[in-house]
Amino acid sequence: MSSRTCSFHSFLPPRLFFFKRTRQTTNHKNRCKAYVKVFSDTLAMKLPDLLERFLADTDVTRQLLEISTLVNVESYANTQHSKMFKKLLAQFRNAFETHSDASVLKTVAAALQHLSSASHGRQSEVVSEISSLAKNLVSRLESNEEEEEEEDKDVSKLLCLRRLQFLLCWIDVTQIVTSEDTIHTLENMLQDCASDIKSDISIRIMQELPGVMTLWYYWMSRVDEEEEEEKSTWKQGIVKLAKLLCDTIHNTEPSTDVNVREMLKSVFFALNDIRLRLAGTYISEHKHTEYSTNKTTTYVQVLNF
């Protein structure tokens, strides 16, 4: 007998060996699927409580929100688990309304977009939560409560703008709230800031406001394509926005202040966004008639309007 050690599989006919390996692979895949389901179901049950427990910790909250996309929403299909899903959405909203950190706001908005776009039995609950969140943000922008101090009111609007911008980055909320009233509110806010750009709160608001307005017009343009050009609401508004942004640049004095530089960066990004994504050649036709000052026209020409 040869000293060479022979494998048991060498005595199996090739066809039988193939089926044996296939069965092993199938069993391995089934076990993996079972493990994934157990992990997803366990995470689905524990995640709402973990988010509630670590809500004050920005880093932990962000990481928990990131892994929320691993949860299979069907884990909440059972009627007994519906309360946990509602609690999960409530914790998403709490994190969004509590934190001002960009990474947390971005992750919450992305998670809500993921849940709203996926096909599952609780999609309507997600859409309802997004609708409530968006309406609350817009209503706080439009509110003029006399009981609230002026400084607190400005800070509240600043935070609302930041949160609304991240929500708009992922979700179209222009169909949820009244666009005309919201745009009117945002335009008035922009005019006030442009005329008083030296104040600290105006500079901080202008770091967020241009991004909100360009995103809002972007979503409006997605459903406004069939309207005639001269009647298109978003195209009329985008020209007005570009002019106000250029006026803001014109009224801003040279400065080394970090907030001023961030504000100008936001304005330039918004103008470039208008050129690249929204208006295109439409504003090119209006650049000589819309903008009168040399300084403003210079900035517009630099952006190739």
Side-chain angles (χ1 to χ4, degrees), residues 190-191 194 206 236-251 267 271 274 283 286-287 289-293 296-297 299-300 305:
L190 183 60
Q191 288 176 341
M206 284 299 295
Q236 293 176 0
I238 210 68
V239 172
K240 185 176 181 180
L241 172 60
K243 183 179 184 303
L244 287 171
L245 292 178
C246 289
D247 288 344
T248 300
I249 297 172
H250 178 70
N251 295 333
V267 171
L271 285 170
I274 292 170
I283 290 186
H286 294 76
K287 67 179 181 182
T289 57
E290 291 292 333
Y291 314 122
S292 56
T293 65
T296 304
T297 304
Y299 281 110
V300 174
F305 276 91

Side-chain angles (χ1 to χ4, degrees), residues 197-200 203-204 207 252-265:
I197 201 59
K198 294 182 180 180
S199 69
D200 181 62
I203 292 172
R204 292 174 63 192
Q207 293 176 12
T252 303
E253 296 295 333
S255 174
T256 58
D257 184 82
V258 175
N259 286 328
V260 174
R261 294 174 67 87
E262 288 297 319
M263 182 269 292
L264 289 173
K265 185 190 298 185

Side-chain angles (χ1 to χ4, degrees), residues 59-267:
D59 291 334
V60 175
T61 299
R62 175 180 54 79
Q63 293 174 29
L64 289 172
L65 289 168
E66 286 175 350
I67 66 174
S68 67
T69 56
L70 301 176
V71 174
N72 182 4
V73 185
E74 297 303 326
S75 301
Y76 298 105
N78 191 318
T79 306
Q80 296 177 349
H81 297 159
S82 62
K83 291 183 179 179
M84 295 303 293
F85 185 69
K86 292 180 179 179
K87 186 174 181 179
L88 177 66
L89 293 179
Q91 293 309 315
F92 280 177
R93 178 165 184 166
N94 287 341
F96 197 76
E97 293 182 334
T98 302
H99 291 275
S100 59
D101 183 76
S103 62
V104 174
L105 298 179
K106 176 183 176 181
T107 310
V108 174
L112 288 173
Q113 192 275 338
H114 170 73
L115 289 177
S116 64
S117 60
S119 178
H120 54 85
R122 302 196 177 278
Q123 190 176 24
S124 60
E125 295 180 39
V126 181
V127 174
S128 176
E129 188 66 36
I130 293 173
S131 175
S132 174
L133 178 60
K135 289 178 179 178
N136 181 55
L137 288 173
V138 172
S139 65
R140 288 169 66 181
L141 282 176
E142 297 173 345
S143 66
N144 292 310
E145 298 180 4
E146 296 181 357
E147 299 179 359
E148 195 173 10
E149 293 184 7
E150 193 67 29
E151 184 177 352
D152 294 337
K153 188 187 301 183
D154 290 335
V155 172
S156 176
K157 287 183 178 180
L158 176 63
L159 293 174
C160 282
L161 286 171
R162 178 173 298 177
R163 291 173 180 135
L164 186 58
Q165 182 173 1
F166 278 99
L167 195 63
L168 284 165
C169 283
W170 292 91
I171 303 170
D172 178 13
V173 301
T174 61
Q175 305 304 306
I176 299 173
V177 297
T178 307
S179 287
E180 187 176 346
D181 294 341
T182 305
I183 285 296
H184 182 68
T185 299
L186 295 175
E187 284 180 348
N188 289 340
M189 195 180 302
L190 183 60
Q191 288 176 341
D192 293 340
C193 291
S195 61
D196 185 28
I197 201 59
K198 294 182 180 180
S199 69
D200 181 62
I201 190 62
S202 294
I203 292 172
R204 292 174 63 192
I205 287 177
M206 284 299 295
Q207 293 176 12
E208 311 291 343
L209 186 54
V212 173
M213 295 188 72
T214 51
L215 285 168
W216 198 281
Y217 281 125
Y218 166 73
W219 287 115
M220 287 180 65
S221 71
R222 297 284 296 271
V223 296
D224 202 23
E225 293 175 350
E226 297 181 359
E227 289 191 19
E228 298 179 12
E229 188 168 288
E230 61 272 13
K231 296 181 180 180
S232 180
T233 305
W234 77 271
K235 286 184 178 179
Q236 293 176 0
I238 210 68
V239 172
K240 185 176 181 180
L241 172 60
K243 183 179 184 303
L244 287 171
L245 292 178
C246 289
D247 288 344
T248 300
I249 297 172
H250 178 70
N251 295 333
T252 303
E253 296 295 333
S255 174
T256 58
D257 184 82
V258 175
N259 286 328
V260 174
R261 294 174 67 87
E262 288 297 319
M263 182 269 292
L264 289 173
K265 185 190 298 185
S266 175
V267 171

